[in-house]
Amino acid sequence: MTVTQTLMAEYTTMLKAITPMDAITRVRASTVFQARSAAKTQHVLQQLGRRERIVLMLLDGHRTIEDVMRLLHRGEQEVVQSLTYLSQHGYVDYRGDRKGES
């Protein structure tokens, strides 16, 4: 198992064990996720709510949580709730934190 796979497994376990409000304190604004290719299929996108679908489409492996919040004009809680849902369903991959940010 690669380091990335290990971190994602640990992160997914953490998200399942905590509420979205708790996740806010653990996911930093500089955290980066990427939507999995399989999650961008028409079948999956049709099953997602509008909020989750929009967040998913913005997770390109380069944008931070803060970038997504700014682009959507949404608060951290709402973005992290969508991210929690997407992570629990295996639609995103954790990419780490941007260096030099907190």
Side-chain angles (χ1 to χ4, degrees):
M1 184 178 275
T2 67
V3 172
T4 301
Q5 290 170 330
T6 302
L7 287 173
M8 186 58 193
E10 290 173 5
Y11 184 78
T12 300
T13 301
M14 178 188 74
L15 284 180
K16 288 180 181 178
I18 61 176
T19 66
M21 285 301 294
D22 292 335
I24 290 171
T25 63
R26 295 182 182 162
V27 175
R28 302 191 305 190
S30 60
T31 303
V32 177
F33 288 86
Q34 182 170 3
R36 291 183 175 178
S37 298
K40 293 184 178 182
T41 64
Q42 184 176 2
H43 175 73
V44 171
L45 292 174
Q46 288 176 341
Q47 293 179 13
L48 294 175
R50 182 175 182 268
R51 290 179 179 158
E52 286 76 22
R53 188 170 49 246
I54 292 169
V55 170
L56 180 73
M57 297 307 291
L58 290 174
L59 298 175
D60 63 357
H62 301 285
R63 288 187 180 105
T64 64
I65 299 302
E66 184 175 35
D67 294 336
V68 174
M69 290 167 32
R70 187 179 65 253
L71 288 168
L72 295 178
H73 303 283
R74 294 201 177 127
E76 187 174 18
Q77 180 180 358
E78 188 174 351
V79 171
V80 171
Q81 285 176 336
S82 294
L83 179 62
T84 300
Y85 176 87
L86 295 169
S87 180
Q88 288 175 338
H89 287 83
Y91 296 144
V92 296
D93 288 321
Y94 171 78
R95 293 292 181 217
D97 284 338
R98 272 201 193 155
K99 296 187 191 262
E101 296 181 31
S102 56

